[in-house]
Amino acid sequence: NKKAFVELLFWKNPTAIREMTEGYSSLREAEGAARSRAPPWTPQEEQELRELYWKYKEVEGEDIIATLLAHLPGRGRTRKQVVKQLVRL
């Protein structure tokens, strides 16, 4: 890139630096790969999540997401995936 020297005159965040060094489409490719790794929720898993949420939502003093993760059967879901799915539901 012949004009890269102009970009170096301004402050950069790590994302911009990664784009400059690895190419401007590298972040979009990495995002697509990250999205494809999370398995989709099946209707049975969604129903189980709903039931567990309604069962444990009134318990005080406990982290409801940690409780849901402990009781969810099947695939190992991350905390972020469970929270995102609850918001979507």
Side-chain angles (χ1 to χ4, degrees):
N1 186 354
K2 293 180 181 181
K3 298 180 182 177
F5 67 92
V6 175
E7 290 189 26
L8 296 175
L9 296 175
F10 303 98
W11 286 99
K12 301 286 181 244
N13 60 23
T15 305
I17 293 170
R18 183 175 173 199
E19 284 183 334
M20 287 173 58
T21 57
E22 296 180 12
Y24 289 101
S25 64
S26 64
L27 288 178
R28 279 180 247 124
E29 292 169 358
E31 287 173 358
R35 287 183 188 149
S36 66
R37 280 185 270 178
W41 288 81
T42 63
Q44 294 83 12
E45 288 175 324
E46 289 179 356
Q47 183 61 31
E48 183 73 22
L49 183 63
R50 273 191 205 100
E51 290 172 4
L52 288 171
Y53 174 76
W54 287 108
K55 182 177 179 181
Y56 293 107
K57 76 174 190 152
E58 299 296 327
V59 177
E60 292 185 26
E62 287 189 31
D63 182 17
I64 188 167
I65 303 301
T67 305
L68 293 175
L69 283 169
H71 289 90
L72 274 176
R75 301 178 191 159
R77 297 285 183 179
T78 64
R79 182 179 182 87
K80 186 176 180 179
Q81 290 172 341
V82 171
V83 169
K84 192 174 183 179
Q85 187 65 18
L86 281 172
V87 169
R88 193 183 73 73
L89 292 173

